[in-house]
Amino acid sequence: MKWADTILFDQPLQDVRLLAGAPTQDWQQFLRDREQAAFEEGRRAGESALSEQLLRQRNDTIELQRGILSSLQTTLPKVAHEAETALIELALEAAKKIVAGMPVDVAMVESTVREALRQAEDSAEIVIQLHPDDLALLRQHQAEILNGLPDSGPMRFSHSSEVGRGGCVIQTRFGLIDARRETKIEQLRQSLNS
């Protein structure tokens, strides 16, 4: 035996068949069957890998969805609250500008004083503080309110630079009634924020 005719293997061969004498058609069928089996095995492995990848992607998408929904559940109430607060502030600023732009006349000052006097629990010894210009306006037009009201006791009017135009502060022996515009707007702000 020559060296060229000898084939060396690393491991011993098992279940070896000699096909050299087999008909060519059987050999080709064997190769086709083997190729088909390898193709099927590759297809199954590819489908399995694709299925696992799709399952992972689906789970990742579900987790992402849950995270987004959770974030929205915590964020939306905050955004709604912030928008509500901003809207309240905007409305109050608009109200301030409207009120500030309204001309102060005798009827307005009298109406403010009458409204504040309705809140007074005691009709004895009432001191009504007005802005100096408002008091001068009432005196200039000889407003009826300066002579008092039928249901109230003696009233005394004084001016105070701490009272803004269009508002008043009433002092009774039980305390103060603050009917200044800025106080009313602050009370409105607190009631809207609660």
Side-chain angles (χ1 to χ4, degrees), residues 42-56:
R43 185 183 59 77
R44 281 191 301 271
E47 285 176 353
S48 176
L50 181 61
S51 177
E52 288 176 17
Q53 183 180 6
L54 289 174
L55 185 61
R56 278 193 308 272

Side-chain angles (χ1 to χ4, degrees), residues 90-118:
L90 180 63
L92 288 172
E93 285 301 314
K96 279 184 196 177
K97 289 185 188 263
I98 290 170
V99 169
M102 292 175 62
V104 177
D105 60 9
V106 174
M108 176 199 271
V109 176
E110 281 186 323
S111 175
T112 301
V113 171
R114 288 178 196 277
E115 180 185 333
L117 285 172
R118 280 191 284 256

Side-chain angles (χ1 to χ4, degrees), residues 29-72:
Q29 183 63 40
F30 171 75
L31 290 177
R32 279 194 298 272
D33 291 347
R34 192 167 170 192
E35 184 178 320
Q36 183 65 31
F39 174 79
E40 288 298 320
E41 183 180 337
R43 185 183 59 77
R44 281 191 301 271
E47 285 176 353
S48 176
L50 181 61
S51 177
E52 288 176 17
Q53 183 180 6
L54 289 174
L55 185 61
R56 278 193 308 272
Q57 286 178 344
R58 188 177 126 227
N59 289 339
D60 290 347
T61 303
I62 288 171
E63 283 302 312
L64 183 61
Q65 259 182 338
R66 285 183 186 149
I68 290 171
L69 288 176
S70 174
S71 177
L72 286 174

Side-chain angles (χ1 to χ4, degrees), residues 2-3 22 33 42 46 77 87 107 132 150 159 166 181:
K2 299 180 187 173
W3 175 253
D33 291 347
L87 188 58
H159 60 83
R181 287 179 170 181

